[in-house]
Amino acid sequence: MRVATDIGGTFTDLVYVTEQGNFGVAKSHTTPPNFEQGVMDVVAKSEVDEKAITTFIHGTTVIINALTEKKGVKTGLITTKGFRDVLEIARGNRPDLFNTRYEKPEPFVERALRREVEERLNYKGDVLTALNRNQVKEIIEFFKKEKVEAVAVAYLHSYVNPSHEQETVELIKELWPEIAVTASYETTKEWREYERTNTTILNAYVQPIAASYIDRLHKKLQENQTNSQNYIMQSNGGTTTFDHAKRLPINMVESGPVAGIFGAAVLGELIGEKNIIAFDIGGTTAKCSLIEDGEVKVTTDYYIERNSRSAGYPIKAPVVDIVEIGNGGGSIAWIDDAGSLKVGPQSAGALPGPVAYGQGGSEPTTTDANLYTGRLSAKNFDYNVDVSKVKQAIEEKVANHFGINAEEAALGIIRIANSNMLNALKLISIRKGHNPREFTLVAFGGGGSMHAPALAKELGVKKVVIPLASPVFSAWGMLMTDLRHDYIKTYITRINDINLKEISDEWSTIESNALQQFEGEGVEQKRVIFSRFADIRYVGQEHTVKVPVPSGEWNHEDIQGIINKFHELHEKNYTFKLVNAQTEIVSLHVTAFGKVKKPELQKVVVKGKVEDALKETRLVYFEEKGWIDTKVYHRTGLPTNEVIEGPAIIEEKAAVTVIYEGQSLSVDSYGNLIVNTGVE
């Protein structure tokens, strides 16, 4: 069987599929800081035969946690003479423009541990000054004295010619074999010195932690006699081997969330929905991404900790274009200094968790508010729920401040959480020129189905799809992924001046390197598929548009087609095009897929009456309506294609779907819940 596990901030999920196409799911609590134990717990809970696992795929938040919590290792930087302060200089376009006290984010490597070496290449990659090996040796001795645990090497223009970086790494490994080393040419072959240097440092910063975690997980699997092929989910929506992930852990920065986005694209193809807004609400965060015409968008302009007040830290690695906010089931409701109600980004996490868990949590959360308003049932929790404590927390922390009752306060918490999530959904749709009415919302994660129908109506989306196994859908998405590597190389040339043979050779070289890498991972050449893109801009512009381009050798007709496609995409992204302006390619981008056999989804038709699935009728508190008797149904018993009118609640293990008055719901032949939101 194939097994996928996904570590979230609160829960660790598992999905398995057998050769016969039978699916099973499990969910257990995340176990920080020993996350691998949570993986083994959920494997045990699923009761799968561990010896029968042939493929094991894993998604983890270990890397993003280490970065955001600043819990990496002590890292040193070796860079070109005169450029040690590039991390401080960073970029001038600060986000908090009118704040005269604005401070740039503090670099991950303090200045004393950023050391310079005499060496220099020009922009073409020609050597101007040879590498001073003696200085490298002195720096190594200094790092040893300072007890540095990882070294990053980033030289000027090494994306064109990595020879000096390679020479430095060889010298470090010769003199200090046990140290973790990352060179910038390994992480990215794109220009932009600050972003490239920062990416290299962040990779070095988490490399020992990633290696230790993956080794511990591998050891646990072996102890349980699981002799499987092991893969880790990458931020680009594909998987890679454990060994590759240990070398370049920065490619796992969004390891877990992107699997659900990719799964939504696969599901969309299956049910005939090509335009999708994928929406994932977990215990700690809410994530969303836009899929247009079946294509999951990948970017290398990715930042962590970036917001309206902070420039964040750039990571020049391929990441699915995703918006993430600190709002989930465990998000804490609090009153700010101005007396306003806020929800998140602080989270109660797995421990102590919401008040409802009874594990010591005292701050009301979104989960507590959903429980108190009847959307969740105390009977479905793993813990003995004391509703009176939930009410007390909501009253003390929120209701008393505003002079309202607990019901209104709980509904206020839900409305604020929804407002935060709605802003995130607008960022990836309306703010980028897309009409939400032309998209279907695919909602998953523990809280996705609970909030999606209300959010979809406000956003103007007509249809919501709640997938089968929605609480563990990110893990399900991993089962549908292929091995994937992205190769991006800076290659600047005006399109009208392109040397067709030269660019053809560049594409061929990139694809040959990809085939070699896949061969080392045990993937046959016939299973490798390439997709080509070019990052193109108008001459004189700073930023680019990613344009799909033809495979094989180009001719002049292809060139004109590429230019036309660029104009079209530029207008779509920026509302204008300059048809008479010169255009230029900045980067070549090859996406290589190592195709793996995926499980086939079986159609499931459930017969019977809607009343047969009725579980109970309970009071639920709705806005402007108050407490209403609401029918609650078992999801598994709902007959195919029968319509349920709202208000109603559909319960399943670890998730509920709330549909409102004026909305309706049915089940399709694949077991997905289809919600008509009432939007005309």
Side-chain angles (χ1 to χ4, degrees), residues 271-314:
I271 62 176
E273 299 284 352
K274 289 198 167 185
N275 290 342
I276 284 172
I277 297 172
F279 185 47
D280 174 9
I281 305 178
T284 309
T285 58
K287 284 87 62 176
C288 52
S289 184
L290 188 125
I291 300 160
E292 188 177 21
D293 200 23
E295 182 194 337
V296 176
K297 298 179 186 301
V298 174
T299 178
T300 55
D301 292 326
Y302 174 80
Y303 291 78
I304 58 169
E305 298 183 28
R306 188 183 196 179
N307 55 42
S308 61
R309 298 292 176 89
S310 170
Y313 300 92

Side-chain angles (χ1 to χ4, degrees), residues 4-15 24-28 30 42 256 260 279-283 285 287 376 380 442-450 465-478 635-636 650-657 671-673:
T5 57
D6 174 36
I7 295 178
T10 311
F11 292 101
T12 297
D13 304 335
L14 178 145
V15 176
V25 303
K27 204 174 185 77
S28 72
T30 295
V42 78
F279 185 47
D280 174 9
I281 305 178
T285 58
K287 284 87 62 176
L376 294 173
N380 296 334
V442 175
F444 49 95
S449 54
M450 187 154 47
V465 176
I466 315 294
L468 196 64
S470 68
V472 293
F473 189 70
S474 285
W476 182 90
M478 290 178 204
R635 176 169 181 167
T636 50
I650 317 299
E651 289 189 343
E652 59 186 297
K653 196 170 183 181
V656 303
T657 301
N672 304 306
L673 301 182

Side-chain angles (χ1 to χ4, degrees), residues 627-639:
W627 291 102
I628 295 178
D629 279 329
T630 305
K631 290 183 176 180
V632 181
Y633 298 92
H634 281 291
R635 176 169 181 167
T636 50
L638 289 175

Side-chain angles (χ1 to χ4, degrees), residues 63 206-217 245-247 249:
I63 303 307
V206 296
Q207 195 176 27
I209 289 167
S212 172
Y213 170 71
I214 293 169
D215 285 340
R216 293 198 310 271
L217 178 59
K246 286 195 295 187
R247 288 199 311 277

Side-chain angles (χ1 to χ4, degrees), residues 110-267:
E110 61 187 273
R111 194 169 193 270
L113 295 178
R114 305 198 296 262
R115 312 299 284 187
E116 298 177 345
V117 172
E118 289 176 359
E119 70 82 38
R120 194 63 182 265
L121 308 173
N122 67 11
Y123 73 98
K124 295 179 180 177
D126 302 326
V127 176
L128 301 179
T129 304
L131 177 69
N132 188 325
R133 293 172 63 89
N134 288 330
Q135 285 182 349
V136 175
K137 292 175 184 177
E138 289 168 9
I139 291 168
I140 293 168
E141 290 306 311
F142 172 75
F143 283 167
K144 283 181 179 178
K145 286 177 188 172
E146 291 294 321
K147 295 184 169 51
V148 163
E149 298 168 78
V151 177
V153 182
Y155 293 149
L156 208 62
H157 303 306
S158 60
Y159 63 89
V160 185
N161 177 3
S163 60
H164 282 179
E165 285 191 354
Q166 290 167 335
E167 190 178 345
T168 302
V169 170
E170 285 171 12
L171 189 55
I172 293 170
K173 288 183 175 176
E174 182 186 317
L175 299 172
W176 198 5
E178 64 273 21
I179 196 71
V181 188
T182 301
S184 77
Y185 79 92
E186 296 175 290
T187 60
T188 178
K189 288 187 170 63
E190 281 191 89
W191 66 350
R192 301 197 187 283
E193 181 198 353
Y194 163 57
E195 288 81 357
R196 185 166 51 84
T197 303
N198 196 71
T199 304
T200 308
I201 286 168
L202 295 187
N203 191 81
Y205 183 74
V206 296
Q207 195 176 27
I209 289 167
S212 172
Y213 170 71
I214 293 169
D215 285 340
R216 293 198 310 271
L217 178 59
H218 192 219
K219 186 180 178 184
K220 289 271 188 187
L221 290 169
Q222 287 181 320
E223 285 173 359
N224 287 23
Q225 296 182 307
T226 303
N227 187 27
S228 55
Q229 287 183 304
N230 299 321
Y231 302 104
I232 282 203
M233 193 72 200
Q234 298 184 110
S235 308
N236 62 7
T239 54
T240 190
T241 61
F242 272 20
D243 284 342
H244 186 263
K246 286 195 295 187
R247 288 199 311 277
L248 291 172
I250 202 66
N251 289 329
M252 298 154 52
V253 69
E254 288 287 2
S255 173
V258 300
I261 309 301
F262 185 82
V266 172
L267 180 66

Side-chain angles (χ1 to χ4, degrees), residues 349-595:
L351 285 171
V355 178
Y357 286 9
Q359 301 295 299
S362 59
E363 304 295 324
T365 65
T366 311
T367 293
D368 295 313
N370 279 309
L371 170 69
Y372 193 70
T373 54
R375 287 157 172 77
L376 294 173
S377 168
K379 292 179 281 189
N380 296 334
F381 281 73
D382 289 343
Y383 308 99
N384 293 322
V385 177
D386 187 339
V387 178
S388 65
K389 282 191 175 179
V390 174
K391 180 182 180 183
Q392 183 184 349
I394 292 172
E395 285 178 335
E396 289 180 357
K397 303 290 184 177
V398 180
N400 293 346
H401 174 79
F402 293 104
I404 56 178
N405 60 32
E407 291 91 336
E408 285 296 327
L411 196 60
I413 292 170
I414 294 169
R415 288 171 64 188
I416 296 293
N418 280 351
S419 175
N420 293 338
M421 296 171 194
L422 186 66
N423 284 337
L425 290 168
K426 286 179 178 177
L427 277 175
I428 59 150
S429 56
I430 295 169
R431 302 265 185 97
K432 291 193 175 181
H434 299 283
N435 184 352
R437 291 171 184 271
E438 297 171 0
F439 287 78
T440 294
L441 187 68
V442 175
F444 49 95
S449 54
M450 187 154 47
H451 293 267
L455 290 168
K457 188 170 184 179
E458 280 208 56
L459 191 63
V461 172
K462 297 179 181 180
K463 184 197 287 188
V464 176
V465 176
I466 315 294
L468 196 64
S470 68
V472 293
F473 189 70
S474 285
W476 182 90
M478 290 178 204
L479 293 178
M480 301 297 165
T481 57
D482 295 303
L483 285 164
R484 171 172 173 159
H485 296 299
D486 284 83
Y487 306 87
I488 304 171
K489 179 180 181 181
T490 295
Y491 180 86
I492 302 172
T493 181
R494 295 197 178 191
I495 295 185
N496 288 334
D497 300 334
I498 277 182
N499 182 319
L500 292 176
K501 183 183 185 308
E502 186 181 285
I503 200 165
S504 179
D505 290 343
E506 290 287 349
W507 288 118
S508 298
T509 301
I510 295 170
E511 291 172 0
S512 296
N513 291 338
L515 288 172
Q516 283 181 354
Q517 182 168 352
F518 276 117
E519 189 180 343
E521 294 173 352
V523 179
E524 301 164 335
Q525 184 172 333
K526 65 182 180 183
R527 285 166 48 205
V528 178
I529 293 175
F530 296 114
S531 293
R532 291 180 181 178
F533 303 88
D535 293 321
I536 304 175
R537 67 186 182 186
Y538 291 118
V539 173
Q541 277 188 331
E542 166 70 353
H543 292 288
T544 61
V545 173
K546 193 170 291 293
V547 179
V549 297
S551 299
E553 293 192 8
W554 292 356
N555 55 38
H556 292 290
E557 284 182 13
D558 293 325
I559 297 297
Q560 191 55 50
I562 291 166
I563 293 171
N564 293 340
K565 186 67 176 175
F566 165 71
H567 288 315
E568 177 191 325
L569 290 173
H570 193 280
E571 185 174 29
K572 191 166 196 175
N573 281 280
Y574 299 110
T575 73
F576 72 93
K577 59 183 176 182
L578 306 171
V579 290
N580 295 319
Q582 283 275 331
T583 54
E584 66 181 351
I585 290 176
V586 174
S587 300
L588 308 180
H589 180 173
V590 172
T591 299
F593 296 96
K595 291 290 183 179

